């Protein structure tokens, strides 16, 4: 599996992705799922999930179209919707290439993408491109999009991210969301890659890869675990358990019952 | 959907369930998913998820077998494994009753259960009964079991629950896990029901139902949101963003870039 999240805030956007791919438990590899496409007036990030052959095929085709100077390629798009449609079409082509070639094959060529960034004087924005090639936008009410194993990392985004969040909050929340997913799902794992895009810059402000033993990543994990425990321990006690405090032992409970 | 969790700790066990059922977005109802079966030497809790007709049929059949004094019913079982097999068999019978009766029906009679409690001098334990009728035990390494919409509420369980947790921690963690699920998934909702079982008591120590507007539930939600925010805000800053602090505005960023 995969977990990728893109967050759009007034100052710009943040992209976070894991780098683990697996085709069965004994076929685990590391591939980047965060791809950047930058020219003078276009800065786009593509996050990928799903069939690895499909996603690699899509990225390679986008690159080829640019290199060969095709009539239309990613840098000739005049807005994000056009770019999303272009990527969606390439995705469909890639999926169809190998579909139905083998009889009774349980082949799943599906892939999903998050495409985000800025084209010329457009407002930066994010889209989620489905396997069918259609897509939805992030909005101020839903300023983040996720693909892959999306549920474990969702609660922290729901709690923290609002339409007025800044880049710092967005990045930290993306990293915590990733950490929760990595902790609960063995098929999502480091290296963790992240990119911060500042509105109107047409450049990556930060683009980092954190390996499994990265000192910052280890500190973040430890600190978040500690902080969650502190947050948990000061909660108001549930009705009915008022008499049981956190130091309760079996002996104490026996006394309470007698 | 549904979310139910059972947690087994040295002092006893905790069960938490939501009460929302839905068959389409305009057919939402409230049903208890936490059922207790108690006699002198047996205390069992059954949490249910899946097809509501199936789960209601299973609970009704268990009750009928007891009432009619059948040769074997839930209170004649000598251990939890036997009880789980008995419930699994009833579940299979219920599912088969209506399967394949309509041509081209997309009918899904599947149901899952958590069965937990204590029978005589057995150690209290928990099992997860699958739609196929087979089951797995909770263990010291995995002291909790979940059914239904399990992913949103998993990270907090992974972080907090260990084999030495006490009943207080188990209940609070179950409630927080439920809160995260309710917040992120519209098909899981109050009333929230919980039960605390103290080892060797053969009685519910606490059995409560928290309605949507319950004062404690509202306080817990607010406090957990606040505490998470505090936990989040003191995290170490990610590499590359060291210069951006939480009060960063677009203007500040412009200065940093120049």
């Amino acid at each position: 599996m995969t977990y990728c999240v893109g967050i759009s805030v007034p100052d710009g956007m943040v992209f976070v992705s894991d780098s683990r791919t697996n085709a069965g438990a004994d076929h685990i590899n590391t591939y980047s799922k965060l791809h950047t496409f930058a020219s003078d007036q276009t800065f786009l990030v593509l996050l990928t999930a799903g069939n690895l052959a499909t996603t690699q095929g899509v990225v390679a085709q986008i690159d080829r179209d640019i290199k060969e100077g095709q009539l239309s390629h990613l840098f000739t798009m005049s807005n994000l919707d056009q770019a999303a449609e272009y990527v969606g079409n390439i995705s469909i082509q890639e999926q169809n290439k190998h579909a139905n070639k083998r009889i009774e094959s349980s082949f799943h060529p599906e892939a999903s993408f998050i495409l985000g960034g800025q084209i010329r004087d457009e407002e930066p924005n994010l889209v989620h491109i489905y396997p069918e090639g259609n897509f939805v936008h992030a909005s101020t009410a839903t300023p983040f999009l996720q693909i892959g194993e999306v549920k474990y990392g969702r609660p922290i985004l729901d709690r923290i991210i609002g339409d007025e969040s800044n880049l710092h909050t967005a990045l930290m929340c993306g990293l915590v969301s990733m950490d929760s997913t990595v902790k609960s799902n063995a098929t999502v794992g480091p290296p963790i890659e992240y990119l911060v895009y500042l509105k109107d810059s047409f450049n990556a402000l930060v683009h980092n890869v954190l390996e499994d033993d990265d000192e910052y990543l280890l500190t973040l994990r430890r600190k978040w675990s500690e902080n969650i425990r502190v947050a948990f321990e000061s909660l108001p006690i549930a009705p009915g358990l008022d008499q049981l405090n956190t130091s309760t032992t079996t002996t104490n409970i026996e006394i309470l019952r007698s």
Side-chain angles (χ1 to χ4, degrees), chain A:
Chain A
M1 275 299 269
T2 288
Y3 177 48
C4 299
V5 55
I7 306 171
S8 176
V9 293
D11 285 343
M13 30 191 45
V14 163
F15 302 87
V16 183
S17 75
D18 85 314
S19 307
R20 187 167 293 174
T21 70
N22 75 310
D26 53 358
H27 197 80
I28 290 176
N29 287 305
T30 296
Y31 287 100
S32 173
K33 301 168 189 177
L34 190 159
H35 309 272
T36 57
F37 303 90
S39 75
D40 275 2
Q41 292 294 298
T42 300
F43 186 87
L44 290 171
V45 174
L46 187 69
L47 301 173
T48 65
N51 185 296
L52 184 62
T54 301
T55 60
Q56 287 191 348
V58 169
V59 172
Q61 186 63 48
I62 294 172
D63 279 334
R64 262 199 306 274
D65 284 356
I66 294 171
K67 208 173 153 193
E68 295 170 359
Q70 295 290 335
L71 201 62
S72 75
H73 59 71
L74 206 53
F75 298 147
T76 67
M77 303 295 150
S78 57
N79 55 58
L80 188 65
D81 279 19
Q82 224 179 60
E85 214 160 298
Y86 165 78
V87 173
N89 283 337
I90 295 181
S91 168
I92 297 284
Q93 281 165 27
E94 282 298 321
Q95 292 176 61
N96 284 342
K97 264 187 195 169
H98 307 280
N100 302 324
K101 287 202 178 155
R102 274 198 324 135
I103 291 158
E104 288 187 31
S105 160
S106 64
F107 173 57
H108 298 296
E110 285 80 9
S112 300
F113 303 87
I114 292 173
L115 180 67
Q118 187 172 10
I119 297 180
R120 295 184 190 89
D121 51 0
E122 263 209 321
E123 276 295 303
N125 205 349
L126 284 172
V127 292
H128 176 167
I129 306 171
Y130 295 98
E132 290 74 14
N134 57 342
F135 58 92
V136 295
H137 286 261
S139 69
T140 49
T142 311
F144 58 86
L145 295 174
Q146 305 168 283
I147 51 174
E149 187 60 84
V150 302
K151 293 185 181 182
Y152 299 111
R154 171 108 195 193
I156 190 69
L157 295 166
D158 280 335
R159 287 184 200 279
I160 301 288
I161 298 293
D163 56 356
E164 288 302 310
S165 297
N166 62 27
L167 279 175
H168 173 271
T169 301
L171 175 60
M172 295 306 300
C173 196
L175 291 175
V176 168
S177 174
M178 179 60 73
D179 182 51
S180 294
T181 311
V182 169
K183 194 165 170 62
S184 291
N185 188 302
T187 68
V188 176
I192 306 304
E193 196 166 356
Y194 65 88
L195 187 148
V196 179
Y197 175 73
L198 194 64
K199 187 177 165 177
D200 299 329
S201 69
F202 298 99
N203 254 312
L205 179 69
V206 186
H207 185 177
N208 255 336
V209 179
L210 305 175
E211 300 291 336
D212 200 11
D213 60 350
D214 180 273
E215 202 179 321
Y216 172 73
L217 194 59
L218 297 176
T219 309
L220 179 70
R221 266 183 209 157
R222 200 196 58 240
K223 195 83 175 86
W224 181 242
S225 271
E226 284 169 14
N227 289 5
I228 284 287
R229 195 162 277 277
V230 171
F232 180 79
E233 276 166 8
S234 67
L235 288 175
I237 294 171
L241 272 202
D242 318 55
Q243 299 152 298
L244 298 177
N245 62 43
T246 46
S247 63
T248 300
T249 64
T250 308
T251 324
N252 289 342
I253 297 172
E254 291 298 330
I255 293 164
L256 285 171
R257 289 171 59 211
S258 62

